[in-house]
Amino acid sequence: MSELYENRELSWLRFNERVLEEAEDKRNPLCERLTFMSIYQTNLDEFFMVRVGSLHDQMLLEDDPKENKTHMTASEQLEAIRERVRELGIRKDESYAKLMHEIEKKGIKIVSFADLDVEEGAYLQDFFERDILPLLSPFTISKKRPFPFIKNKEICATAVLETKGGKSRFGIVPCNNGMFSRLVEIPGNKGRYMLAEELILHFLPMVFAGYNITCKSLVRVTRNADIDADKVYDEELNYRDHMAEVIKLRRKLEPVRLEYTRDIDKKIIKTIAAFFKIDKEMIFNTTAPLDMSFLFDIEDKLRHEKELFYDKRIPQRSPELDESKPLIPQIIEKDKLLSYPYETIRPFLSMLSEAANDPDVVSIKMTLYRLAKQSKVVEALVEAAENGKEVDVLVELKARFDEENNIGWSRTLEEAGCNVIYGLDGLKVHSKLCLITMKKGRDVKYVTQIGTGNYNEKTARLYTDLCLITADQKIGAEAARVFKALSLGEVMKRTEHMLVAPKCLQNKVIDKIDREIQIAKDGGEGYIGVKINSLTDKKIIDKLIEASAAGVKIEMVIRGICCLHPGVAGMTDNIKIVSIVGRFLEHSRIYIFGKGEREEMYIGSADFMTRNTVRRVEVATPIYDPDIRARVREMFNIQMSDNVKARVLREDGTYKYVRHTKPAINAQEIFYEEAYKAVEE
């Protein structure tokens, strides 16, 4: 049975490899390839901060627990991760070098001192002395000068120093303090730059005057960010203040990775490992820069060359909604579906603003997970509260790396008179749910929005998501029950229409798969179609294996982690899985069970991961409107047919581009073309 499963962490590394492939893919415009290179690195940073950090904590436990699919211990997983990351690191370095060679042809070059003449070197020395050296904070380490705290992902120039008396010391200089530009322009031929950390490293003899430098390198530390906010809960603080303290604590957690840029002696690596208190096995060498964020600055310098970027795409208005008229009456007349980024989020924002000013609206209830820095959603909720509406908002303060943003918005909402709660004990609230309640006389009506993505205007232009807005009163009444449970600190234990984790999603999905199994056993056509970001839930995986073995046809679009191997003879050979990694981040979740008159369809916030299905509050809604159901089904079919950006998952766990046959089908481009055509018509 082991051939049926893939380790979660190794599957994630395969996903990030697909991101790296996009950086290498010459079909993508050159500057967009730079973006994918940067995304590859930031993805890997977060992987070490969260997943490797978690495994590191598990390894310290006495029993070194095994994961439930491939039965690898935490230490075995860490060993496999290290090996795979080193392989991908070599490929990343080579890909970066090739990219920069192509960028050089466009008139921009990142230079080293070997590329400079004497006059240019003298200029840089003068520049360093005048503009950088006074802003540096160097440290030498001794008994009286302990090792300084190095911030997460901070680049430092390090050196082994030797005194005139022959004693060795360690010197370290933080390089990215924000007081000078990272790209230092070289005078003369325009378009040549040096990275500031390389400049600092070169002139370390000026920083540590009086010492002989025997070895030097740039290093970057990645710290564990996996911290359980509930386990360290301080009852003396209110929850919002507690989360602020958790953020501070995270910044000080132990290192889990160290990267360095020079080929230095193994003894020196051992010394560095000791200073940083990190396992030497978690130290990685790279020839590429330690932080790729400067690539966006290069893109900005080439912005005038349009052919180096994707063709401009603008989210279009939905043909289903007339924004010149009140929106709520249109929704009451017929359910509406918005598809981001192909269609604009504006109608949803306008509906919220309309509700804030509608005399018949008595309340607005929402769950908020990730918000834009300048949130129009919050603006509308504040306006509603100031207009006397009851506004109940659940702000999830445990949205990883968005905690500070959410803490700020929670204060804004509270100050405006909104009722703000912060989630449930031990459970994140990840649902995308909004309920507008209207009352006219004795008549109470609901308008409900359920989505697959966050209420974030920025990501609505970058992520593919679906947003259903419905006046179906049965769904509205059930949404009202969800909000009541949340306000009481409870979870839904029974639902009739929606799927609501943690008690009413995994079990209902399994029941629906069982139905398809029975239909296949009875000689009928069993069918399951799923689009999610990740598949790790073993109960659901095992049920899908059972369904495939029974003859149920299963089609899946899974962008990221997939712990199931399709195509294994007699077991999973009825399962086809593709991953689409392209211009936009695939983020929508669709579940389809059955075909024809039996078809049941849902969209929602949950991936098929245990953390989503049983450890979070998630909401998926049925699609009852036949026109919307047909539209979503067609979208799913096009994605399964993609032969440009889709990779098919093979039985050995590797991915291969779908064989390109004419006509070319790039699902994301097709959806944008359809959005433009719909407006023209």
Side-chain angles (χ1 to χ4, degrees):
M1 290 290 285
S2 60
E3 72 274 12
L4 297 174
Y5 304 104
E6 178 73 85
N7 174 263
R8 168 192 170 136
E9 317 309 342
L10 298 182
S11 179
W12 184 91
L13 288 171
R14 290 189 192 278
F15 157 67
N16 211 32
E17 183 179 16
R18 297 194 290 281
V19 175
L20 185 58
E21 284 176 355
E22 292 299 308
E24 299 166 339
D25 190 343
K26 292 189 176 181
R27 295 175 299 177
N28 291 326
L30 181 56
C31 282
E32 305 295 351
R33 292 166 61 193
L34 294 182
T35 297
F36 281 111
M37 178 61 72
S38 183
I39 291 171
Y40 170 84
Q41 186 205 40
T42 54
N43 281 351
L44 194 60
D45 287 346
E46 186 169 327
F47 176 73
F48 270 89
M49 290 161 64
V50 178
R51 296 305 308 166
V52 173
S54 175
L55 288 171
H56 186 266
D57 291 343
Q58 290 177 38
M59 192 178 65
L60 299 177
L61 300 174
E62 289 184 9
D63 56 349
D64 196 2
K66 296 180 179 181
E67 54 96 355
N68 66 353
K69 288 173 277 291
T70 58
H71 304 296
M72 296 173 72
T73 64
S75 54
E76 288 170 340
Q77 291 177 74
L78 285 171
E79 183 179 353
I81 287 167
R82 288 194 296 264
E83 182 180 340
R84 188 72 181 112
V85 168
R86 292 191 201 284
E87 291 173 359
L88 288 172
I90 293 169
R91 179 173 171 183
K92 178 261 297 179
D93 288 346
E94 292 173 350
S95 299
Y96 169 80
K98 290 176 182 176
L99 268 175
M100 298 314 290
H101 181 68
E102 293 185 53
I103 287 294
E104 188 176 343
K105 296 175 185 177
K106 301 300 176 182
I108 291 183
K109 182 179 181 180
I110 303 297
V111 301
S112 67
F113 273 89
D115 301 313
L116 305 180
D117 59 29
V118 174
E119 187 178 333
E120 290 166 334
Y123 165 82
L124 285 179
Q125 180 171 337
D126 180 65
F127 175 81
F128 177 78
E129 285 187 90
R130 184 184 67 247
D131 293 339
I132 293 184
L133 182 57
L135 302 175
L136 298 179
S137 299
F139 300 89
T140 58
I141 313 304
S142 67
K143 289 182 179 179
K144 292 185 178 180
R145 288 186 288 274
F147 198 83
F149 178 77
I150 304 302
K151 289 183 259 184
N152 186 34
K153 299 187 289 185
E154 182 171 38
I155 298 173
C156 294
T158 61
V160 176
L161 311 172
E162 189 176 86
T163 67
K164 291 179 180 178
K167 293 183 178 180
S168 290
R169 287 185 179 170
F170 191 73
I172 188 163
V173 185
C175 294
N176 48 341
N177 57 22
M179 289 187 278
F180 43 81
S181 173
R182 187 152 174 232
L183 283 180
V184 178
E185 189 166 13
I186 311 297
N189 297 328
K190 191 176 180 182
R192 296 193 308 154
Y193 300 88
M194 180 176 287
L195 294 174
E197 62 264 26
E198 292 289 346
L199 190 64
I200 295 168
L201 186 71
H202 182 80
F203 288 115
L204 277 185
M206 296 174 64
V207 178
F208 297 110
Y211 290 95
N212 179 38
I213 294 179
T214 61
C215 176
K216 62 182 179 179
S217 180
L218 294 171
V219 302
R220 180 173 180 261
V221 67
T222 311
R223 292 185 177 277
N224 186 353
D226 184 58
I227 183 168
D228 189 327
D230 291 323
K231 281 187 178 179
V232 295
Y233 181 51
D234 184 347
E235 294 183 357
E236 297 299 315
L237 299 173
N238 69 44
Y239 196 71
R240 186 168 60 205
D241 291 341
H242 161 68
M243 286 306 301
E245 291 301 313
V246 166
I247 295 165
K248 293 178 185 176
L249 180 61
R250 174 189 288 158
R251 293 172 183 149
K252 299 178 182 178
L253 292 180
E254 72 276 7
V256 292
R257 175 182 61 162
L258 189 77
E259 301 165 279
Y260 69 98
T261 62
R262 297 298 188 275
D263 188 12
I264 52 181
D265 189 278
K266 287 184 179 179
K267 290 181 180 178
I268 304 302
I269 294 175
K270 188 176 180 180
T271 300
I272 292 173
F275 275 120
F276 280 93
K277 297 179 180 177
I278 189 169
D279 183 345
K280 67 180 187 302
E281 296 299 322
M282 297 305 285
I283 298 180
F284 300 85
N285 179 235
T286 177
T287 60
L290 294 169
D291 182 330
M292 298 284 192
S293 59
F294 73 94
L295 294 177
F296 293 111
D297 295 326
I298 291 178
E299 289 179 29
D300 289 340
K301 296 178 189 303
L302 293 169
R303 195 69 61 181
H304 60 284
E305 297 195 37
K306 302 298 182 187
E307 73 278 5
L308 301 182
F309 298 87
Y310 289 128
D311 292 339
K312 189 173 183 179
R313 292 291 202 180
I314 299 172
Q316 299 295 292
R317 64 175 177 82
S318 168
E320 301 297 317
L321 287 160
D322 184 347
E323 293 182 66
S324 67
K325 299 177 181 177
L327 296 172
I328 292 175
Q330 297 177 60
I331 295 161
I332 290 173
E333 184 179 333
K334 191 178 192 303
D335 289 358
K336 307 297 180 186
L337 181 80
L338 298 176
S339 176
Y340 311 143
Y342 317 108
E343 294 172 339
T344 175
I345 193 176
R346 191 176 58 241
F348 171 71
L349 299 174
S350 298
M351 181 194 72
L352 271 185
S353 183
E354 184 180 311
N357 292 280
D358 189 331
D360 292 341
V361 170
V362 294
S363 72
I364 302 174
K365 303 177 190 292
M366 285 188 79
T367 58
L368 301 179
Y369 193 74
R370 298 191 194 277
L371 292 160
K373 297 294 182 185
Q374 304 295 325
S375 176
K376 292 189 181 301
V377 171
V378 171
E379 285 180 16
L381 294 175
V382 166
E383 183 180 22
E386 290 175 346
N387 287 342
K389 316 293 184 190
E390 180 185 333
V391 180
D392 299 336
V393 188
L394 188 146
V395 181
E396 182 51 79
L397 297 186
K398 292 178 287 186
R400 200 187 307 267
F401 306 126
D402 267 4
E403 297 99 337
E404 287 183 89
N405 193 40
N406 287 2
I407 286 170
W409 284 128
S410 71
R411 290 195 179 104
T412 299
L413 290 163
E414 246 178 26
E415 288 167 3
C418 302
N419 302 314
V420 179
I421 56 176
Y422 303 118
L424 306 181
D425 291 342
L427 295 172
K428 281 187 181 179
V429 179
H430 187 249
S431 57
K432 325 300 178 189
L433 185 63
C434 174
L435 179 67
I436 297 170
T437 304
M438 296 171 289
K439 189 173 186 296
K440 202 164 190 177
R442 293 185 175 181
D443 191 19
V444 175
K445 286 186 178 179
Y446 298 113
V447 169
T448 312
Q449 181 274 337
I450 310 99
T452 67
N454 295 301
Y455 299 113
N456 186 316
E457 301 93 296
K458 181 180 179 181
T459 57
R461 299 174 70 92
L462 303 171
Y463 295 7
T464 74
D465 274 305
L466 297 172
C467 165
L468 177 73
I469 312 175
T470 178
D472 186 301
Q473 297 306 293
K474 299 184 294 295
I475 290 176
E478 199 152 88
R481 288 178 53 220
V482 172
F483 279 109
K484 181 180 179 182
L486 290 174
S487 69
L488 296 174
E490 300 172 354
V491 298
M492 294 283 284
K493 296 178 180 175
R494 181 182 60 82
T495 61
E496 295 178 26
H497 302 278
M498 296 192 295
L499 309 178
V500 183
K503 297 290 186 182
C504 305
L505 192 147
Q506 184 197 65
N507 56 340
K508 286 180 175 284
V509 166
I510 288 173
D511 288 346
K512 293 176 190 304
I513 298 174
D514 275 331
R515 185 192 69 178
E516 298 307 307
I517 291 172
Q518 191 58 51
I519 285 167
K521 287 180 176 179
D522 292 342
E525 184 182 9
Y527 176 80
I528 297 164
V530 174
K531 181 180 183 297
I532 49 179
N533 300 324
S534 298
L535 173 65
T536 68
D537 186 316
K538 191 171 185 295
K539 284 189 177 181
I540 292 179
I541 289 172
D542 288 345
K543 189 57 67 173
L544 290 170
I545 294 170
E546 182 185 342
S548 172
V552 177
K553 181 181 178 182
I554 302 170
E555 296 180 315
M556 307 184 82
V557 181
I558 305 175
R559 183 196 80 227
I561 302 168
C562 181
C563 294
L564 169 64
H565 288 176
V568 177
M571 298 298 291
T572 59
D573 41 1
N574 284 309
I575 302 177
K576 179 181 179 181
I577 299 174
V578 299
S579 169
I580 296 175
V581 178
R583 175 174 181 173
F584 305 107
L585 183 87
E586 289 293 336
H587 195 252
S588 55
R589 288 92 164 185
I590 302 167
Y591 325 141
I592 304 170
F593 305 96
K595 283 193 170 183
E597 293 182 357
R598 293 193 304 103
E599 180 186 72
E600 294 182 10
M601 180 184 292
Y602 297 81
I603 65 167
S605 57
D607 292 312
F608 287 173
M609 305 178 76
T610 308
R611 74 177 190 188
N612 297 94
T613 57
V614 298
R615 295 180 195 150
R616 290 183 175 181
V617 176
E618 307 271 11
V619 174
T621 182
I623 304 293
Y624 289 144
D625 184 284
D627 296 330
I628 294 178
R629 201 160 58 237
R631 180 184 173 193
V632 174
R633 189 188 316 117
E634 179 63 16
M635 292 175 72
F636 181 81
N637 291 340
I638 289 172
Q639 289 172 320
M640 285 300 304
S641 303
D642 190 305
N643 57 17
V644 177
K645 288 301 177 185
R647 286 89 160 167
V648 64
L649 176 56
R650 298 186 291 190
E651 63 183 274
D652 63 354
T654 61
Y655 287 80
K656 184 179 180 181
Y657 275 107
V658 173
R659 194 158 54 105
H660 195 302
T661 55
K662 293 186 178 180
I665 300 174
N666 183 330
Q668 294 184 351
E669 288 300 316
I670 287 172
F671 297 149
Y672 242 127
E673 287 167 10
E674 289 177 348
Y676 274 88
K677 285 178 184 176
V679 171
E680 291 170 5
E681 293 171 358

